[in-house]
Amino acid sequence: MKRDRVLKIVVAGVVLSAGLAAAPAGAQTGPDRRSAGSLPDMLVNDDGTALTFEIFRNAKHRAAKTHWISLTPNYYYGDVDPRWIPVEPYESFDQYAAVRWEGLQAVAPDVSLGIALCVNLSVPWPYGYESGVFPEHPVWGKDPLTPYVAWCREHNIEPYFSIRMNDQHHSVHANPMYHVGRFFWDQPELFIDPPSREEWEELYLPWINRGTNQPSQLPESYRKGGPDYHDLRVNYAFEQVRDFYVGLAEDLAENHPDASGIELDFMRSLKFFPEGEEEPEKLTRVVRRIRESLDRVEDRSGNRIRLVARIPTYHDGYAAGMRVRQWLDEDLLDGIVLGHGTFFSDNAMEEWAAYAKSRDTKVYGPIERMYFKTRIREATPEKVRGVASTLYGKGAEGLYFFNWFAPEEHYLLPELADRQALRKKNKTYFADTARVARDKKELGSRLIRTPLVHRAGEVPSLYRFVLSVNSDFKAADEIRLSVHTENIHREFIRITVNDAEVTDDMRLIYGAGRLTYRLPDTVARKVVENGDNRIDVRLSANPFDEDLIIEGVTCDFLY
C-alpha cells in the first residue's frame, strides 16, 4: 500500500492533518486526453475592464467621443491607483490590443503564452446579446470576445476566458456597476448576507444606478467594517447561483468553441457560503458540470477547451467548501494556479504541486503584480526573476500573472520561461513577511508583512523570515544576504541564518537614512542553501522612545 502524503497545517498552535494523500491504489494517474503539456507556460490574467459594455454608459465619455482604457503603468514604483486614461480613438480591435497588450504581442513568438481575459461583465449572460440589457460596444459591437479570440490566434497567444467565481468588488468599491451582476439585482436574497428589501431598494440600488443626483457611495455604516455592512457575494447554496456560473461557462464554450480554455478564479473571492454553512458537494457539482459542458463542446468541435482553477492554500480552500483533491481525482481540471500570488517564499504549495502533477494537472505559480509596491519589493528585473525562481523551486511548471498592467515589463517573459537559463541570471530573492515571538514565547502562526515595528518599550522579540532560494551557487560570481532596517544599531540585533550565528560577520551599511546588515559572499555561500532558508532576527528590549523598524530580507545572486 502506498504511504499517504499528509499536509500538516498549524492553526493557532494546533497541528491538523489535512489529508492531502497520494492517489489511491488503482486510481488512474497516467496521462489522458487532458495533457499538462498542452497548456501555455505563461498565463497572463487581464481583468477585461476595457471590454465591458457598462464603461460606455457614462454620458461624459460618450459626449467627448473619446475611448478610454484602464492602465496602471507603475505598480512597482508606488503608483498603485488604477485610473482611466484617454487614448486616441481606436477603430478596430487591433488598435485597442496594440495599447493593452503591446508587450505580450512582442514576446509571443518567443514564449508559450496565454491570456486569461476576465469575462464576468463582457457577456450579458443570461440575457443574450439581443436583450438590450447592455449597450452595444462602440467599436466591436455586441460581442467583444470573438475579435479577442481571433486576435490571440493571429498573434500566437492562447485565448482563455477567466470567470471570477464570486467577486466582491461591489461590496467594497464606490463603483459597483462593473462588478455586481445584473442577474442578481432583482434577487438580493441570493447574497451571502442579504440586506433587507427596503435597504436594497433605498440604499443599494441607487448606489448601483447612481447618476448626478444620487449618492456616490453607501452611508459610512454600510461600508466594509461598518456595523451595517452586508457581504454581497453570492451564496452557492442556492440553485440559481450555481446555474448562473455553470450557464456562463457553457455560454462561453458554445459561442467560442475555438477558445483554448476557461479559468475558474476561486480567489475572487474566497467565500461561497455563509460561514459555518459550507456545502462542499454543491461546489464540486458546479466544477463537474462545467467540465462536462466543455467535454460536450469538444465532442462536437474537436477542440479541447481546457479547464484551469485558481485556488488558495489547502486549509483556506477546504474551510471555504472547496474539495480540490476530489476535483483532481475526478480529472476535472487541466491546470491549477496555486495561491493568491502575494506570498512567494511563504507560499506552501509544494504538497499541492506534487499531488497535482501526479494527476497530470499542470501547476502554475502565481505572481500578483499589484503587491510589488513596498521598498523591499520595488520592481527590478532581478526581483521578478527571483520570484519566478522561487515558484519553480516549489514545484511550479508555469507562471501565472495577475494585475500586470505594465507592458514595458513584458519583455521578461521569455527569460522567465527558460528555467535553466534563469538559474544563471542576476536575481534578488526577498522576504517581507515574518512570524513573531515576544519575550521567548512560541512563534505566532500568523504571517506579518513588513515593515515590522519593534515598538518603544517592547520586550525582547524574535522575527523569523523564510527565504526560498533556487539558484546556481557554483556559477554565481557573488552572493549577498542582507537584512534591511531603518534604525537598528548592532548592539540591539542578533541574526542567525539556518541556526548559524552571523551577526559579527555582517557589514553594517549606512545609506538613504537606513541601516543594512550585509553578509559577505564567503560567509553567505556557507550558510545559504537552495530551498527554504530560516533567517532569525532577534531584537533586545527597545529602550528608546521611538520604534525600531525591520524592512525585510534580501539575497542577491550576481552572475
Side-chain angles (χ1 to χ4, degrees), residues 176 195-210 214-222 228 230:
S196 68
R197 176 61 67 169
E198 181 181 13
E199 289 174 317
W200 183 249
E201 293 178 353
E202 294 185 4
L203 292 176
Y204 286 92
L205 283 181
W207 182 47
I208 292 170
N209 286 305
R210 73 176 189 269
Q214 295 170 324
S216 62
Q217 54 190 0
L218 290 172
E220 187 172 354
S221 67
Y222 281 85
D228 299 312
H230 291 276

Side-chain angles (χ1 to χ4, degrees), residues 337-352:
V337 182
L338 289 174
H340 195 287
T342 58
F343 298 104
F344 308 110
S345 289
D346 292 303
N347 185 343
M349 60 182 282
E350 293 92 335
E351 291 277 355
W352 264 127

